[in-house]
Each structure stands twice: as C-alpha cells, then as structure tokens.
Amino acid sequence: PGVALIGQRAMGITRASDPRPVLATQNLNMCVALHGYDRQSKVGFLCHIDFCFTVGNLKKLAEELTNHVRPGTRFSCTITGGKPWTHARSPSIRGRIRKELQFLNSQGRIQFDIEHETPMPDRWSRDVFLHKPFAYCLDTRSGNVRPFPNGKPSLPLKNLLSRLRFDYVFDQKG
C-alpha cells in the first residue's frame, strides 16, 4: 500500500498527497532508470527504460508533468542502472536520455536537471558479471531514494524486442 510499482517499459508520476506517494521499480539490470523530484511541489516521476527506442516516450512524461506542476518547474534528476555491454545497449540509452532531456529543456515548459548519474560498472571488471539486478523507490513525501525489495522478474527478451506498448502509471492529482 502506498507504492506505485513501475515495471519495465513504464513510467509514473505521483505527489506527496496522492494515495500512492512512493514510486518503485524492480529488476534494474541492463535497463536504465530515470527519476526526478521537485521539492517545492513534492511531485516525482520514475521511468524504467529498457531499450533505446523507448526513450522517445519521455515526451509523454513531459506533457503529463504539465498537468501536475507549474510551467518552468525544475526537476532534480538521476540516471541509474545498466551495464556497459548488453543487447539493451545501456550506454546508448543513457546518452539518448541526456539528449532527449536537453531537447525537452529547450521547449521551456518543464526543466530536467541531471544532478546525479550513477557510475556504470567497468566493462572489463569481474564485478560487471556479478552485478545483480537491483530495485529502488522514490518517496515524494521526503524526496528520499532508498532500496526496494527486488521481486519482479524481467520481461522475456522476445517481449522486449517486440516493441510492446509503453505503460504509464499516473495517479490522480492531490
């Protein structure tokens, strides 16, 4: 209760006053997550991005955010997850996210400031093979990010490559 679970190829928005003020995602391994938070409005978002072609869905996120915050609101953002090599092309996803956010910033409606990007494991390190999928959540009541139980399995590769629709989890305005 109180948690909106954001699955693979999905994104969500919530605020501190919503029935589900916590956004969580699981099974970040090769996938990349983007989350943002505005301390003034206490609105946050979380996106679980699995392939480069799903980065274009950030435009829908920006459009939906205009229904939750005033124009010009600045979100402090973090990019995390991924591996340096994989069929999901995590480094390319991260690059496309940065590029898409720059484009959306140029539109002037909502601003996305990438304030933190977790390091990608070294490509040749033994640790990259031991890197386990992880899960985390963003609590919009405080802006805190913390670990979350990792219980949801990944979508099968054939489903990911099939360009299934992207899911949106938007709670009602508070």
Side-chain angles (χ1 to χ4, degrees), residues 115-135:
E115 294 190 355
H116 184 67
E117 189 166 346
T118 60
M120 184 87 65
D122 178 40
R123 176 182 302 232
W124 304 112
S125 164
R126 189 173 103 77
D127 293 342
V128 79
F129 298 103
L130 302 175
H131 177 74
K132 302 277 189 236
F134 67 98

Side-chain angles (χ1 to χ4, degrees), residues 5-154:
L5 187 60
I6 310 302
Q8 280 181 265
R9 194 174 293 174
M11 64 178 69
I13 299 170
T14 195
R15 67 176 65 232
S17 60
D18 285 343
R20 297 185 298 168
V22 177
L23 296 168
T25 193
Q26 299 175 320
N27 204 35
L28 277 171
N29 189 7
M30 296 171 276
C31 302
V32 176
L34 168 70
H35 75 264
Y37 182 68
D38 173 50
R39 288 202 181 279
Q40 263 190 311
S41 64
K42 294 192 177 233
V43 171
F45 67 84
L46 191 148
C47 308
H48 187 130
I49 301 167
D50 54 11
F51 277 91
C52 286
F53 60 79
T54 60
V55 173
N57 290 297
L58 294 177
K59 289 178 190 147
K60 173 71 174 164
L61 171 72
E63 290 170 15
E64 187 63 31
L65 281 170
T66 61
N67 296 324
H68 295 267
V69 295
R70 293 185 317 240
T73 297
R74 299 187 85 83
F75 283 87
S76 300
C77 300
T78 297
I79 299 173
T80 191
K83 288 188 178 181
W85 48 263
T86 60
H87 55 270
R89 301 186 43 85
S90 302
S92 297
I93 293 172
R94 284 180 175 222
R96 297 224 16 220
I97 289 170
R98 287 189 296 273
K99 189 174 181 178
E100 186 68 20
L101 293 181
Q102 285 176 343
F103 170 76
L104 292 170
N105 285 346
S106 73
Q107 304 298 300
R109 295 168 65 192
I110 302 288
Q111 297 298 302
F112 301 93
D113 299 329
I114 301 173
E115 294 190 355
H116 184 67
E117 189 166 346
T118 60
M120 184 87 65
D122 178 40
R123 176 182 302 232
W124 304 112
S125 164
R126 189 173 103 77
D127 293 342
V128 79
F129 298 103
L130 302 175
H131 177 74
K132 302 277 189 236
F134 67 98
Y136 77 98
C137 64
L138 167 65
D139 188 333
T140 59
R141 295 168 294 193
S142 63
N144 291 337
V145 173
R146 64 181 185 271
F148 190 77
N150 195 22
K152 189 172 183 182
S154 175

